[in-house]
């Protein structure tokens, strides 16, 4: 069912106007002065949820701004929208789909419903299959066509069918069980898949094809290359139907038509958005690599964040506060970007993951009521790990002309590092947040040595990078996106913006093979240039 009743233009809300006035009056204040005025500021502007602590005191906000932001959330359709989501209404209105990825990490008593029946049974079944397959592969019981156990898994997928599992495996690699290698290939760049298979033994390689739609061009291209390799090396006429291929999809029919055996298709449902699918059987590679127990610990951490999100009051609700601060920076302080800097090399994929999560979800310019927006939505998300980024783009953060809010993320304990390194790493994190805020503007100092300071940041400190805390952290950002999308009155769960490019690629490919399709003259010119310079032997 479609429910448009929650569509409210946030600019028409009384709190929005008040926030515009507050932004005008606070913009020349100094964050450090706000600390001097309120000795309890740091404690007051710190929230805990499980083992995650958010210190948002280094933002250019005061009590008035925070309570007005809470009022904005209260006056918006956030609560009604959340209710609609939890009860399985089709809040993805352009595709008529429910949004129930939270159910994937829930338990029976959490009661997510869709079409009036609990979704939990489908989820239980999927989890059981994941546990069974992971166990069989791990124990050497899943055999390739020549009877040998699996030594290597290639996960083929792109976007939401790649980023979540890839990031989880990289972030939690210290939890990986030994004896099996995992490879991810997402890009259409042939050098990736070709160099991956070149190193592997086809007899002991399992290919996991992950595509919600089972029609994504890049994934099918890579799949066909990998299948050709299996076929040629093992003499198989239909490798896709062998034990060396598993498909994970929401479109079982397409996977079957592709030739995958039904017993090796794992299905997830339409109510799981691609970029929210890590929690589903899309995470099979994670379960194989880290073990099923660690995979379920990731789910448990996310579930705890869901419970926090559903039950904490708005002013103590971490995703809500994170979202509101984002709206403050974006819509009232007119920051156009948001940097994310994890102080943990194993989280190097977090910025890319959040780019898809935030920008594909909330990079929209039409409201839920199909009206053009006259306010900005998702900022540009970017970042890299500290300390490397300090030696790359921190110059711009400290002295550039852009106003860039930063999320600093760190782990208080790290059993796979040592005290000396870890102390240095965390000291850098808090020093950078401090330097951005305090700046340095002594009189008589040469202009190029002046740091204006007053640059906002959040510091997110997490006890340790465990599977559970990893799950909670990802869910924190998911809920942030939901809150922002609700307040901005947009559909965070579709991605029509990516379709035109796909269509144009199909046209260009046809043009290339001589099939006359109309592409613009600039594109024809580029195509001609490529064709005349292509080495015929390549
Ligand atoms: O093109 C964008 C997108 O549809 C993402 O939303 C999605 O995560 C990705 O492509 C992959 O899609 P699929 O899982 O259907 O292959």
């Amino acid at each position: 069912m479609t429910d448009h009743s929650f569509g409210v233009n946030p600019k028409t809300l009384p709190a929005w106007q008040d926030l515009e006035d507050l932004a005008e009056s606070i913009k020349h204040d100094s964050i450090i002065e706000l600390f001097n005025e309120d000795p309890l500021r740091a404690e007051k502007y710190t929230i805990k949820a499980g083992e995650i602590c958010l210190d948002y005191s280094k933002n250019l906000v005061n009590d008035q701004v925070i309570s007005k932001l809470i009022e904005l959330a209260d006056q918006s359709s956030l609560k009604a929208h959340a209710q609609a989501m939890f009860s399985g209404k089709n809040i993805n209105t352009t595709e008529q789909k429910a949004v129930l990825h939270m159910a994937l990490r829930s338990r029976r008593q959490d009661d997510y419903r869709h079409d009036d029946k609990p979704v939990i049974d489908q989820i239980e079944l999927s989890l059981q299959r994941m546990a069974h397959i992971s166990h069989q592969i791990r124990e050497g019981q899943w055999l390739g066509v020549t009877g040998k156990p699996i030594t290597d898994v290639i996960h083929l997928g792109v976007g939401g069918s790649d980023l979540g599992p890839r990031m989880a495996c990289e972030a939690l690699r210290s939890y990986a069980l030994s004896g099996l290698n995992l490879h991810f290939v997402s890009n259409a760049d042939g050098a990736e898949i070709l160099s991956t298979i070149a190193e592997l033994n086809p007899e002991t390689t399992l290919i996991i094809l992950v595509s919600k739609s089972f029609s994504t061009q890049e994934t099918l291209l890579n799949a066909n290359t990998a299948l050709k390799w299996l076929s040629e090396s093992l003499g198989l006429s239909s490798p896709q139907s062998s034990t060396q291929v598993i498909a994970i999809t929401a479109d079982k029919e397409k996977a079957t038509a592709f030739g995958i055996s039904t017993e090796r298709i794992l299905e997830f449902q339409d109510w799981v958005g691609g970029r929210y699918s890590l929690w589903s059987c899309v995470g099979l590679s994670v379960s194989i690599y880290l073990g099923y127990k660690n995979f379920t610990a990731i789910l448990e951490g996310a579930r705890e964040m869901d419970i926090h999100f559903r039950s904490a009051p708005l002013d103590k609700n971490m995703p809500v506060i994170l979202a509101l601060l984002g709206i403050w920076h974006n819509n009232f302080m007119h920051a156009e970007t948001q940097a994310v800097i994890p102080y943990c090399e194993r989280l190097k994929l977090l910025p890319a993951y959040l780019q898809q999560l935030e920008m594909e979800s909330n990079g929209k310019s039409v409201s839920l009521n199909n009206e053009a927006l006259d306010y900005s939505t998702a900022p540009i998300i970017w970042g890299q790990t500290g300390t490397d980024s300090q030696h790359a783009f921190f110059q711009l953060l400290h002295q550039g002309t852009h106003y860039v809010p930063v999320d600093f993320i760190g782990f208080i304990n790290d059993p796979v590092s040592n005290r000396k390194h870890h102390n240095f790493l965390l000291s850098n994190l808090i020093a950078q947040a401090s330097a951005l805020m305090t700046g340095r503007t002594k009189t008589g100092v040469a202009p190029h040595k002046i740091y204006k300071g007053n640059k906002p940041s959040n510091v997110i400190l997490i006890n340790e990078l465990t599977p559970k805390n990893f799950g909670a952290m990802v869910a924190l950002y998911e809920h942030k996106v939901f809150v922002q999308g609700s307040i901005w009155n947009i559909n965070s769960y579709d991605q029509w913006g990516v379709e035109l490019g796909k269509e144009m690629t199909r046209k260009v490919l046809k043009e290339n093979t001589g099939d006359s399709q109309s592409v613009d003259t600039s594109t024809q010119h580029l195509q001609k240039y490529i064709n005349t310079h292509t080495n015929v032997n390549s």
Side-chain angles (χ1 to χ4, degrees), residues 122 139 171 245 259 396 457:
Q122 290 165 314
E139 294 304 310
V245 181
L396 179 148
S457 66

Side-chain angles (χ1 to χ4, degrees), residues 158-161 211-213 216 274-275 356 360 495 498 502:
V158 70
S161 292
S211 176
K212 180 179 174 187
S213 60
T216 300
R275 54 194 172 274
Q356 189 198 19
E360 198 172 69
Q495 56 283 320
V498 300
K502 293 182 190 172

